[in-house]
Amino acid sequence: MSSISSAGIGSGLDVNSIVTQLMAVEKAPLQQMQTATSKIQNQLSAYGKIQSFVSTLRDASSKLTSATTWNDTTATSGDSSVFTATTDGTAQAGNYTLSVQQLATAQTVASPASAFPVGAGVLRIQDGAGGQAIDVAIGAGDSPAQVRDKINAAKAGVVASVVTDASGSRLLLRASETGADHAFTVREVVSDGMGGETTTTTGDLAKLTYDSSQPAAAGVNMSLTQAAGNAKAKVNGLDVESASNLLTGAVEGVTIKLGKVSASPVELSVTNDTESIKTAISAFADAYNQLNTYLSQQTAYDATTKKAGTLQGDSATNSLQYAMRGIASGTGTMAGSYQRLAQIGIEIKKDGSMSINDTKLTGALGAQLGDVKALFASKDTATASNNGFGVRLQQWGDALLKFDGALTSRSESLQRKVDAGTKSQDAFNDRMTQVEARLRKQYTALDNQMSKLTSLQAYVTQQVTSWNKSTG
């Protein structure tokens, strides 16, 4: 007879416990594999952060090699109510005088108070600067607001508005742009009696027309309330003129916004923008310190906690930090009065970090800006040691981060190790699954045999007992 049994039942053999304990021994190497892969993963993560910090330092160094950084200027007006000024990268430091004789104006005309209601017709608006004339159809009985909206919708180079006073509503037309060239005419389109058309200022819409070349009758045509005019000024005694109140080109690289007429000349001062340069240098020092601090943390060993940084003992990281500090604390041989960063107030401390003496840096920028620029931005294609510190650290960062650079190659190597470790763990787990299945099969078979032996022993014991009773 066959019997139904569960592992350990009947035989007393604890198959599950035995297999579990045996598998714990078999799986012991997995923990070591996981620990090793985790360590490499942490190193890979650390190198990722190093790449990010190096990239930031490279970009900050690059900014100090740019002509734009060193050519930044700022313009100051002696009276901001007369004019204000801004500069671009081409402006040169210098002092100028500027007086304003006339501001640019936009032509403005106004209709008579009795202009409305109007008759039907077509107004033709022509900008004096040329371009296509725009026709606007006016309906009989159109209100001032309706006429205004039709003209504005036509985008004819004028802006229409309605002004209402005790005399009634008036239509105002103002040129969209200032300047003498933007004087405009408004004429009514009428038939010439021969199948063609002509324009006039005496038709049904006469009170909405204006033409400076035609005599304007009071109460019959629109009247000129402001003539179109150019801005006129003097820069260092030289006459300049502009269609708008923005003067560009009068002083190279400087845009001047006129505010009002001046009774006397006002000083315009263009100076080097040392504050923006100091901001760029500060960003450079911050980026350097972030990288230096991170490298120090990752390679340190804490004797108290007996814990080492992720990259402690990593020769590549130590070499990287050594090279960075060597560049920053080194000496340049470029032309100029400065050969070391410390000479302009950027000092390297014992821990490798940078500190900035603002007073010393401000003094250097004010006294010898060109030499400070050379300290960072000078380039010598023949001799790398002649390059400025910004150039050298930018090139150092580029070399580390390029596709076959040291940081890129190291990260790729660590990633391959992580991938290999993960693959090995997967293969190991697959083997352990097979081993566990084999052990369970073996011990289940042993359990069945022991169960049978136990049953046989019970039967023999029963038979012996019965035999003893029968012979007793």
Side-chain angles (χ1 to χ4, degrees), residues 145-446:
Q146 288 174 314
V147 175
R148 174 199 65 198
D149 293 344
K150 287 181 177 180
I151 292 176
N152 287 336
K155 301 185 183 303
V158 298
V159 177
S161 59
V162 176
V163 176
T164 303
D165 57 22
S167 302
S169 295
R170 301 171 186 267
L171 180 70
L172 266 65
L173 300 181
R174 177 176 55 83
S176 300
E177 298 182 56
T178 59
D181 288 344
H182 291 288
F184 61 86
T185 61
V186 185
R187 298 176 64 86
E188 182 180 0
V189 180
V190 296
S191 172
D192 62 2
M194 296 180 290
E197 63 180 28
T198 186
T199 60
T200 182
T201 60
T202 60
D204 294 338
L205 297 176
K207 293 183 179 181
L208 300 183
T209 64
Y210 175 83
D211 187 341
S212 62
S213 66
Q214 301 291 328
V220 175
N221 304 112
M222 301 186 88
S223 59
L224 180 69
T225 60
Q226 179 172 272
N230 290 342
K232 295 181 180 181
K234 288 182 181 291
V235 178
N236 283 1
L238 298 177
D239 290 326
V240 294
E241 191 169 337
S242 171
S244 73
N245 287 316
L246 285 180
L247 301 183
T248 57
V251 177
E252 184 181 7
V254 181
T255 298
I256 302 168
K257 184 177 182 180
L258 304 181
K260 70 176 185 181
V261 173
S262 59
S264 57
V266 176
E267 184 176 2
L268 167 62
S269 178
V270 180
T271 57
N272 293 110
D273 187 3
T274 56
E275 287 303 315
S276 66
I277 296 174
K278 285 169 64 176
T279 298
I281 291 175
S282 178
F284 162 78
D286 288 343
Y288 179 94
N289 286 337
Q290 288 174 355
L291 176 57
N292 180 71
T293 298
Y294 187 74
L295 292 175
S296 296
Q297 292 172 344
Q298 295 303 304
T299 57
Y301 177 78
D302 191 327
T304 303
T305 62
K306 300 188 184 303
K307 289 185 178 180
T310 301
L311 299 176
Q312 203 274 330
D314 184 78
S315 59
T317 307
N318 291 331
S319 297
L320 186 150
Q321 186 175 41
Y322 179 79
M324 178 186 73
R325 291 181 177 180
I327 293 173
S329 60
T331 300
T333 58
M334 67 289 295
S337 56
Y338 303 122
Q339 284 77 44
R340 299 175 65 87
L341 291 175
Q343 291 176 296
I344 64 168
I346 304 176
E347 299 177 354
I348 307 300
K349 298 192 290 188
K350 288 183 178 180
D351 62 357
S353 63
M354 282 186 180
S355 65
I356 298 178
N357 183 318
D358 185 73
T359 301
K360 196 170 183 179
L361 177 60
T362 301
L365 291 172
Q368 294 174 302
L369 178 62
D371 287 349
V372 177
K373 175 183 176 181
L375 186 66
F376 285 99
S378 60
K379 296 179 181 180
D380 188 334
T381 56
T383 307
S385 61
N386 288 341
N387 289 332
F389 287 96
V391 175
R392 291 160 69 180
L393 281 169
Q394 177 192 349
Q395 293 175 342
W396 174 75
D398 286 338
L400 290 172
L401 297 171
K402 64 181 181 179
F403 74 96
D404 59 348
L407 284 178
T408 305
S409 299
R410 180 61 171 159
S411 294
E412 291 175 349
S413 174
L414 290 171
Q415 184 61 61
R416 287 193 295 270
K417 290 182 179 180
V418 169
D419 294 341
T422 301
K423 185 176 180 180
S424 296
Q425 291 174 47
D426 291 341
F428 184 84
N429 284 325
D430 289 341
R431 291 198 304 273
M432 290 302 98
T433 298
Q434 296 172 3
V435 169
E436 183 174 1
R438 185 178 71 252
L439 288 174
R440 287 193 177 278
K441 182 177 180 181
Q442 291 174 344
Y443 279 92
T444 297
L446 176 61

Side-chain angles (χ1 to χ4, degrees), residues 22-33:
L22 289 173
M23 287 308 301
V25 176
E26 292 285 344
K27 289 182 178 181
L30 179 62
Q31 181 63 43
Q32 298 175 345
M33 296 170 65

